[in-house]
Amino acid sequence: MEGDDAMTAMPDEGWLVAHPPPRRARLFSLPPTMDGYTVEDWLKLPETGERIELIDGSFVVSPMPRYAHALSAGRLRQILVEAAPEAFEVVESGNLQVGEDGLIPDIVVGYAAAILEDPVVLTASDVVCVAEVVSPGKVNRDRDYTIKPPKYAAAGIPVFIRVDLEGGDAPRVEVFNLGEQGYELVAEAKAGTVLTLDQPFPVSFDPAALTGPRSR
């Protein structure tokens, strides 16, 4: 109305002073090192929107995953949650110390007692299963196929699950149990078939449930 202050969607100056916008954290405020970074260095990093893992002494930064990746991880977590005994909890994207590396699996199945203590990082002894959803791109595929699985195995994590969203039979799920020589493939299934596991606890599902419209 005439004479009234003009209305605007912008906050006034006083509001901005009281509520300053967040500043983007500096990712690498740590000094450079010739010997490689450590898990202790990794845990000092500020929280950011990126996924930062420590692999072989170097920080590996990945953007947030695409929605197909996030959807599949969320649905797999829900399937595992519904099947899990009370002694276990299932979480997405948790910090995990694996030897001298700091990894962030897409899904972590761990002992409830350890997870409910609200730690910043779990150790491999707290975990019975990890899962990775493979993102597009050669670097991502190499990480989920050749780099991270041997590290999980060397740390003694009993079960590794890999979900691949590419290819004509996608989504395809592979399950590996820890053997004397590392991970051994014990089950695999493509969309339209049923995958049945007995470790870390019994569960069966069709990989097709990880993508596409939800079934009613």
Side-chain angles (χ1 to χ4, degrees):
M1 294 178 63
E2 185 177 354
D4 290 344
D5 292 336
M7 298 183 66
T8 175
M10 296 296 294
D12 60 34
E13 183 177 350
W15 190 95
L16 285 173
V17 171
H19 304 82
R23 295 181 179 178
R24 183 173 179 81
R26 294 177 60 193
L27 290 185
F28 300 107
S29 59
L30 297 174
T33 173
M34 298 297 294
D35 299 324
Y37 292 103
T38 66
V39 171
E40 183 179 4
D41 296 327
W42 176 60
L43 294 176
K44 291 178 181 177
L45 295 177
E47 293 185 9
T48 70
E50 292 85 1
R51 175 179 296 196
I52 306 175
E53 297 179 290
L54 174 67
I55 299 177
D56 296 331
S58 298
F59 293 124
V60 178
V61 184
S62 303
M64 295 299 291
R66 297 173 63 167
Y67 276 98
H69 180 290
L71 183 67
S72 296
R75 289 185 179 178
L76 179 56
R77 175 188 176 273
Q78 186 60 37
I79 289 170
L80 295 175
V81 165
E82 293 176 355
E86 291 184 0
F88 301 104
E89 290 289 349
V90 187
V91 299
E92 289 186 57
S93 301
N95 293 332
L96 179 61
Q97 181 175 350
V98 179
E100 297 182 354
D101 297 302
L103 305 182
I104 305 178
D106 288 314
I107 295 175
V108 176
V109 183
Y111 293 108
I115 291 175
L116 293 176
E117 289 182 355
D118 191 28
V120 174
V121 60
L122 292 174
T123 63
S125 61
D126 299 321
V127 174
V128 296
C129 173
V130 293
E132 297 285 1
V133 179
V134 184
S135 293
K138 182 180 185 303
V139 172
N140 294 320
R141 295 185 71 83
D142 285 347
R143 189 158 59 238
D144 290 337
Y145 270 89
T146 64
I147 297 175
K148 295 175 76 172
K151 294 181 181 293
Y152 292 139
I157 296 175
V159 182
F160 172 66
I161 299 174
R162 182 167 53 223
V163 180
D164 199 323
L165 302 180
E166 294 188 321
D169 56 356
R172 187 177 72 258
V173 180
E174 299 170 298
V175 181
F176 302 82
N177 287 355
L178 187 60
E180 294 183 359
Q181 304 299 321
Y183 283 132
E184 301 172 352
L185 181 66
V186 295
E188 60 181 327
K190 60 183 180 181
T193 61
V194 175
L195 180 72
T196 299
L197 313 181
D198 57 7
Q199 292 188 43
F201 38 75
V203 59
S204 296
F205 65 95
D206 182 342
L210 303 180
T211 61
R214 281 182 293 167
S215 57
R216 300 293 183 179

